Amino acid sequence: MREHINWSVGLWLALISLDLAVALAIGVALTDSQLVVVFLILLLLTIAFAQATRLTIEVRDQVLYLGRAHVEARYIAEIIELNKEEMRYARGDGLAPRAFLALRFWVPTGDKLILKDQRDPTPYWLFSTRRSGEIKRALKLS
């Protein structure tokens, strides 16, 4: 099971529009060719930022990989699927200071992964996902 969380179409449109607005604001003092170069640089920076904020969730050999972090299934006590309202609470008032977070604001749902490793001070992992049930099934926790 593998999930890639990329930017939504709305977020892409908003940021490309912002790039264009910044280029036009700067471009009043530039030539047309310089304006195009400024816009292309801003667009390349936006694409780089999109790649940097991409989140990959993968289950392989009873190990959950969440970006660069990973946890073996034997250390997972439970995975709780969170709907939009539950996720909003978990991100705000219900957030534990020591929790591991892999959140993407453009994904309204997620999972709360409760750990059972006594040596780990992290109480749980909170992460954005659109495919909660598949993660539990892939880890054979359902």
Side-chain angles (χ1 to χ4, degrees), residues 53-70:
T53 59
R54 179 181 185 188
L55 179 62
T56 300
I57 301 168
E58 184 176 8
V59 176
R60 184 172 76 232
D61 300 325
Q62 289 298 294
V63 178
L64 172 64
Y65 295 89
L66 193 57
R68 286 185 261 164
H70 66 278

Side-chain angles (χ1 to χ4, degrees), residues 36-82:
V36 170
V37 170
V38 167
F39 177 70
L40 290 176
I41 289 170
L42 290 170
L43 191 57
L44 288 174
L45 289 171
T46 300
I47 292 169
F49 189 61
Q51 290 300 314
T53 59
R54 179 181 185 188
L55 179 62
T56 300
I57 301 168
E58 184 176 8
V59 176
R60 184 172 76 232
D61 300 325
Q62 289 298 294
V63 178
L64 172 64
Y65 295 89
L66 193 57
R68 286 185 261 164
H70 66 278
V71 62
E72 295 177 30
R74 65 184 170 141
Y75 295 117
I76 300 172
E78 177 183 13
I79 296 179
I80 303 166
E81 298 178 35
L82 304 175

Side-chain angles (χ1 to χ4, degrees), residues 16-128:
I16 290 172
S17 298
L18 182 63
D19 289 344
L20 184 58
V22 169
L24 289 173
I26 294 171
V28 295
L30 303 174
T31 65
D32 289 346
S33 59
Q34 291 172 329
L35 173 64
V36 170
V37 170
V38 167
F39 177 70
L40 290 176
I41 289 170
L42 290 170
L43 191 57
L44 288 174
L45 289 171
T46 300
I47 292 169
F49 189 61
Q51 290 300 314
T53 59
R54 179 181 185 188
L55 179 62
T56 300
I57 301 168
E58 184 176 8
V59 176
R60 184 172 76 232
D61 300 325
Q62 289 298 294
V63 178
L64 172 64
Y65 295 89
L66 193 57
R68 286 185 261 164
H70 66 278
V71 62
E72 295 177 30
R74 65 184 170 141
Y75 295 117
I76 300 172
E78 177 183 13
I79 296 179
I80 303 166
E81 298 178 35
L82 304 175
N83 62 30
K84 187 176 181 178
E85 292 77 27
E86 294 166 335
M87 190 66 165
R88 182 178 297 129
Y89 175 76
R91 288 178 174 183
D93 293 340
L95 185 63
R98 288 185 159 187
F100 172 79
L101 305 175
L103 302 174
R104 300 301 184 261
F105 72 86
W106 56 91
V107 179
T109 58
D111 280 354
K112 185 176 185 177
L113 183 148
I114 310 295
L115 298 172
K116 62 181 176 183
D117 185 1
Q118 299 301 322
R119 299 169 295 154
D120 191 348
T122 307
Y124 61 87
W125 289 16
L126 183 65
F127 58 96
S128 301

